[in-house]
Amino acid sequence: MDGNGRWAKQRGLPRIEGHRRGVETVRTITFAARDLGVRQLTLYAFSAENWNRPAEEVGALMGLLEFYLKKELATFVRDKVRLRTIGRIEGLPAGVQRLLRETTEKTKDFGDYTLVLALNYGARNEVVDAARAYAAAVASGAEKLNDSSWGTFSRYLYTADMPDPDLVIRTSGETRISNFLLMQAAYAELIFTPVLWPDFSKADLAAAIAEYARRERRYGLTSEQIRPAAAAK
Ligand code: IPE
Ligand code: MG
């Protein structure tokens, strides 16, 4: 979710106004994604690097997050949205942590649709945390070093029991990954759109999914291997 600041600047508004509008987009897109058949949506809401922004903006973002969680808890329960998080949650303000715990606990049994918030998230931190946990498991004998594989190691990532993303969309015209799900997105399709996050609509999401559907995912194979029938024609 990128472009809140520029959206505000274009209108002569303070950056936080862009973030406020960005939260509205989060609401819209959370339900638009489900309508379009998405089973899991991960939103990169706050990166480990975002702490380095001006204190005033960080404070406002944490305030907005708390406001959002308070307001959405009832909606998630009513509409059966399972909320999960990835990132160093222990680094967030205590009030936000409490709300996240409460919301994840109350929605944990909903199986059809999952909203994942990446908060205080960074892919490099995630690898370090996973390596540490994996090393501890090897040291305790719970894992055997000789059995190491992506299948075993990936169980120590924040995303342990989540599917890898099929599609990663970045808004606002930047063409970077910026430390988002680096390992999990190894085979994801990437779409970069110039639309600023506050303007990102259900139609934009539908267009991205339509483009995704036109692509051929080969996972290192040849086109003929993927579509033997089509190749024979
Ligand atoms: C993304 O919008 C929102 C967060 C990082 C929380 P930005 O704040 O990065 O917006 P720009 O990049 O300044 O336009
Ligand atoms: Mg930005």
Side-chain angles (χ1 to χ4, degrees):
M1 302 187 284
D2 200 8
N4 293 351
R6 277 162 284 171
W7 183 93
K9 195 172 179 191
Q10 284 173 4
R11 289 161 179 77
L13 298 168
R15 292 180 57 84
I16 187 65
E17 210 40 58
H19 295 313
R20 241 176 241 132
R21 277 297 299 262
V23 173
E24 292 306 314
T25 306
V26 166
R27 284 203 180 91
T28 311
I29 295 302
T30 295
F31 293 100
R34 178 158 74 181
D35 284 351
L36 292 167
V38 172
R39 297 287 308 276
Q40 176 173 296
L41 174 72
T42 302
L43 298 173
Y44 200 1
F46 193 84
S47 78
E49 290 76 23
N50 284 151
W51 294 111
N52 299 320
R53 290 192 177 193
E56 193 192 341
E57 182 168 343
V58 172
L61 281 168
M62 288 301 142
L64 263 180
L65 177 59
E66 191 163 348
F67 170 80
Y68 163 80
L69 289 169
K70 271 187 191 142
K71 198 166 159 189
E72 293 304 272
L73 174 55
T75 319
F76 292 155
V77 170
R78 189 191 63 211
D79 296 329
K80 298 191 170 27
V81 177
R82 179 184 189 187
L83 184 83
R84 305 186 75 182
T85 56
I86 53 173
R88 289 182 175 166
I89 300 307
E90 68 279 6
L92 295 167
V96 170
Q97 287 189 50
R98 211 173 314 116
L99 280 162
L100 287 171
R101 259 200 311 275
E102 187 185 351
T103 312
T104 49
E105 176 58 30
K106 283 193 171 138
T107 62
K108 70 177 184 333
D109 295 325
F110 300 142
D112 292 338
Y113 182 63
T114 304
L115 173 66
V116 184
L117 296 180
L119 294 166
N120 192 17
Y121 176 86
R124 288 179 172 179
N125 286 347
E126 180 180 30
V127 170
V128 170
D129 290 350
R132 196 179 288 147
Y134 186 67
V138 169
S140 76
E143 297 281 6
K144 291 201 173 41
L145 202 51
N146 287 339
D147 296 342
S148 294
S149 67
W150 179 248
T152 49
F153 181 74
S154 64
R155 288 203 301 270
Y156 293 84
L157 298 170
Y158 305 143
T159 52
D161 53 356
M162 298 177 188
D164 285 342
D166 293 305
L167 167 62
V168 174
I169 303 171
R170 184 176 184 144
T171 57
S172 89
E174 309 295 353
T175 45
R176 293 187 285 274
I177 301 293
S178 300
N179 209 11
F180 182 63
L181 294 178
L182 290 180
M183 293 293 116
Q184 298 87 341
Y187 286 98
E189 294 297 325
L190 308 179
I191 289 184
F192 300 97
T193 166
V195 179
L196 303 176
W197 177 253
D199 291 328
F200 192 73
S201 66
K202 184 175 184 177
D204 294 320
L205 179 61
I209 292 173
E211 182 179 339
Y212 165 83
R214 285 193 296 272
R215 295 193 187 170
E216 182 181 67
R217 303 181 76 191
R218 289 194 290 272
Y219 302 95
L221 303 181
T222 67
S223 190
E224 289 69 24
Q225 286 175 297
I226 302 290
R227 305 188 307 149
K233 270 186 204 145

